Amino acid sequence: MSRRGKSRNLWGALVLSVFLILLCNGILMFGLSMLIIKSGLIDVGRFHIFWLVSVLLLASVLTGTAITAIVGRKLLAPLNDLSDAAKRVAKGDFGARVAYEDHKVDVIGEMAVNFNSMVHELGSMETLRNDFIVNVSHEFKTPIAAIEGYATLMQDQDLTPEERADYSRLIIESTRQLSSLSSNILKLSKLENQEVVGGKTEFALDEQLRQALLLLEAQWNDKGINLDLTLEPVVYYGNEELLMQVWLNLLGNAFKFTDNGGEVAVSLLGTEAAIMVQISDSGTGMTEEVMKRVFEKFYQGDKSRSAEGNGLGLPLVRRIVELSGGSVLVESTPGKGSVFTVSLPV
């Protein structure tokens, strides 16, 4: 039912309630008047008609008020419950709910349903926010503690040049990890608060993928990874800088989780309906549980490699692809590698 139709239902319920109240009140007053006149309690001939009308009018007002109060209390009780629940939510109680079963007016029942859904979503957002703060605090704490620890060790005057150089290297790595974490948090926060991608241009998507592979050459070359490329010439209209982040993250993960001498395949196919980019590897793969959570912030399925990332790469990938109007899917089997498929609209 349309919003206008639901508003008419509420308006009709209110009009009908007032009509019934006035009708019942009129019938009651008419019957009372006839009873007074026929009983002979008042001699209308000698009793001034003004006083009779005044008494009946006063009785009508009092009776109508009483009936309206009773009916209105029953009809508007859900709105009072809604107001009380809204006050609880305003104070931070996201467990507040409004009962809506068997209500006579559909729009009030639907209002309660929508309110409960809203509070549920707010509660979920609050939980995510709290988890985000906890995760950020934890992720920042690890590299900061490492920097502090190694810097303290370097104050020892008896250190050998090799030990001092090793501690310096570890401090630099922790600093880079902290810088990467801060940068990714800022990028993700910015992307989550925008709905439109600007700075769009036409560029060769196949060339961009080749550039991403060149930027990551040290990773795949050092591990002796074989590359299998099938890149059709495709011109795409979008934000070139953001999409480069997508390929760098997906390819970087493929190289990171592929063993020495493994294989990473990259394919690009353009159709009239969509552009498909598929990045597959022969790496460690993922379990079903890891696949379900792999796009969550700070989630890292392989804890042994937590020092190599911060769990924000794939959430960034998904957000960028979504802002571009596309989608990203993952298929994986433990021990047999993973396949990430990015679909972009033409």
Side-chain angles (χ1 to χ4, degrees), residues 8-83:
R8 287 176 178 172
N9 280 351
L10 179 59
W11 175 250
L14 294 174
V15 170
L16 181 61
S17 299
V18 173
F19 172 75
L20 292 176
I21 290 172
L22 294 177
L23 179 62
C24 293
N25 190 49
I27 294 174
L28 182 61
M29 289 302 101
F30 179 78
L32 182 61
S33 302
M34 292 296 98
L35 181 62
I36 292 175
I37 294 173
K38 289 185 178 181
S39 64
L41 296 175
I42 296 178
D43 187 353
V44 181
R46 291 185 301 168
F47 191 80
H48 200 287
I49 191 64
F50 172 77
W51 295 108
L52 177 60
V53 172
S54 298
V55 171
L56 292 177
L57 180 61
L58 178 61
S60 177
V61 170
L62 294 176
T63 306
T65 301
I67 296 175
T68 302
I70 295 172
V71 175
R73 183 179 179 85
K74 180 69 175 176
L75 184 65
L76 300 179
L79 297 182
N80 293 329
D81 295 340
L82 185 63
S83 177

Side-chain angles (χ1 to χ4, degrees), residues 78 81-82 85 96-101 112-113 115-116:
D81 295 340
L82 185 63
R97 294 293 185 273
V98 179
Y100 56 87
E101 293 83 359
V113 173
F115 177 84
N116 291 340

Side-chain angles (χ1 to χ4, degrees), residues 197-201 203 208 236-244:
V197 175
K200 292 184 177 182
T201 58
F203 60 94
Q208 187 181 57
Y236 180 70
Y237 180 74
N239 188 298
E240 189 172 0
E241 181 181 355
L242 287 179
L243 273 183
M244 178 60 85

Side-chain angles (χ1 to χ4, degrees), residues 37-285:
I37 294 173
K38 289 185 178 181
S39 64
L41 296 175
I42 296 178
D43 187 353
V44 181
R46 291 185 301 168
F47 191 80
H48 200 287
I49 191 64
F50 172 77
W51 295 108
L52 177 60
V53 172
S54 298
V55 171
L56 292 177
L57 180 61
L58 178 61
S60 177
V61 170
L62 294 176
T63 306
T65 301
I67 296 175
T68 302
I70 295 172
V71 175
R73 183 179 179 85
K74 180 69 175 176
L75 184 65
L76 300 179
L79 297 182
N80 293 329
D81 295 340
L82 185 63
S83 177
D84 293 338
K87 291 177 182 178
R88 290 173 56 190
V89 173
K91 293 179 180 179
D93 180 9
F94 296 106
R97 294 293 185 273
V98 179
Y100 56 87
E101 293 83 359
D102 300 327
H103 198 274
K104 302 299 182 183
V105 183
D106 292 341
V107 69
I108 294 181
E110 184 173 346
M111 187 186 302
V113 173
N114 293 334
F115 177 84
N116 291 340
S117 298
M118 178 194 70
V119 175
H120 176 74
E121 291 300 323
L122 288 174
S124 300
M125 291 173 61
E126 180 70 10
T127 301
L128 287 174
R129 186 180 70 86
N130 291 335
D131 291 343
F132 181 76
I133 292 174
V134 171
N135 287 326
V136 167
S137 301
H138 173 74
E139 294 294 334
F140 270 98
K141 182 178 179 181
T142 302
I144 289 175
I147 293 171
E148 180 183 9
Y150 294 130
T152 302
L153 290 172
M154 288 184 67
Q155 292 181 339
D156 187 355
Q157 301 299 323
D158 297 329
L159 288 177
T160 64
E162 292 77 11
E163 290 175 329
R164 194 176 299 276
D166 192 37
Y167 292 154
S168 298
R169 178 183 58 79
L170 292 172
I171 289 175
I172 293 172
E173 288 180 0
S174 297
T175 304
R176 288 174 178 168
Q177 184 182 358
L178 192 60
S179 175
S180 174
L181 176 62
S182 302
S183 177
N184 283 338
I185 288 175
L186 290 174
K187 288 178 184 176
L188 189 57
S189 177
K190 179 181 178 181
L191 291 172
E192 286 181 336
N193 286 282
Q194 73 179 68
E195 296 298 330
V196 179
V197 175
K200 292 184 177 182
T201 58
E202 282 191 350
F203 60 94
L205 193 56
D206 54 311
E207 281 301 317
Q208 187 181 57
L209 286 166
R210 291 188 181 92
Q211 290 174 13
L213 288 168
L214 286 175
L215 290 172
L216 299 172
E217 182 179 3
Q219 294 186 31
W220 54 266
N221 193 33
D222 291 346
K223 299 178 74 172
I225 295 175
N226 298 315
L227 297 180
D228 181 9
L229 306 182
T230 307
L231 304 178
E232 291 187 0
V234 173
V235 176
Y236 180 70
Y237 180 74
N239 188 298
E240 189 172 0
E241 181 181 355
L242 287 179
L243 273 183
M244 178 60 85
Q245 292 294 320
V246 171
W247 314 133
L248 290 176
N249 276 294
L250 292 178
L251 289 169
N253 281 344
F255 298 142
K256 180 169 68 174
F257 292 102
T258 299
D259 295 331
N260 294 342
E263 182 176 289
V264 171
V266 183
S267 65
L268 168 62
L269 174 64
T271 67
E272 295 182 358
I275 296 171
M276 308 293 291
V277 178
Q278 195 170 79
I279 298 174
S280 59
D281 62 71
S282 59
T284 56

